[in-house]
Amino acid sequence: MDATASPRVLVIGLDPYRVPGPWNPEPVAKAIEAGLAELTEHGVGVETCLIGLDGSDDVAAVVANALRTQTWECVIVGGGLRHSDDQVELLEQVINLIRRHAPYAAIAFNDTPATTYKAAARWIE
């Protein structure tokens, strides 16, 4: 990595507005925004790839396209993909897409949106 360039991080996770069920996505969306803001405050270039569970995404295409947009120093996989037993196949798919399309990127996991910077910092600093 060029020492003068900002590290680039891609955050892959679930779009809280496209997760089915009777729940309020606003608190999660706000937490994601705050986690991304902390990365920016630390001079990290960050983009998101939020996927829906409502069937509106071709997950493989959406994630692969995001991974190919640039070279990433780190790809963070959000907790919504890991904390649900119902999402094991989706998690496997995402991890294998990262390996295929961003083979040199570190893979990190946050505990919550609030720990997104901490997860990236383990690998980019």
Side-chain angles (χ1 to χ4, degrees):
M1 178 171 87
D2 178 355
T4 61
S6 296
R8 293 171 303 268
V9 173
L10 177 66
V11 179
I12 301 174
L14 298 179
D15 182 338
Y17 294 103
R18 295 187 297 141
V19 173
W23 75 299
N24 180 3
E26 279 297 315
V28 174
K30 287 181 181 180
I32 290 170
E33 288 176 28
L36 298 174
E38 185 177 10
L39 282 162
T40 302
E41 290 166 10
H42 283 90
V44 177
V46 62
E47 291 188 32
T48 60
C49 175
L50 298 180
I51 53 179
L53 294 180
D54 58 4
S56 64
D57 284 333
D58 176 343
V59 172
V62 170
V63 173
N65 287 339
L67 290 164
R68 288 190 298 248
T69 61
Q70 61 183 301
T71 301
W72 303 102
E73 279 70 45
C74 183
V75 178
I76 298 175
V77 179
L81 290 170
R82 293 186 333 282
H83 294 164
S84 171
D85 292 340
D86 296 337
Q87 302 309 323
V88 171
E89 289 180 20
L90 179 58
L91 174 61
E92 290 174 345
Q93 182 181 28
V94 167
I95 296 298
N96 282 297
L97 287 164
I98 295 167
R99 288 182 56 231
R100 186 174 310 127
H101 298 288
Y104 300 108
I107 299 173
F109 303 100
N110 62 4
D111 295 322
T112 67
T115 63
T116 301
Y117 172 73
K118 184 178 176 181
R122 291 192 295 263
W123 298 100
I124 61 173
E125 293 190 347

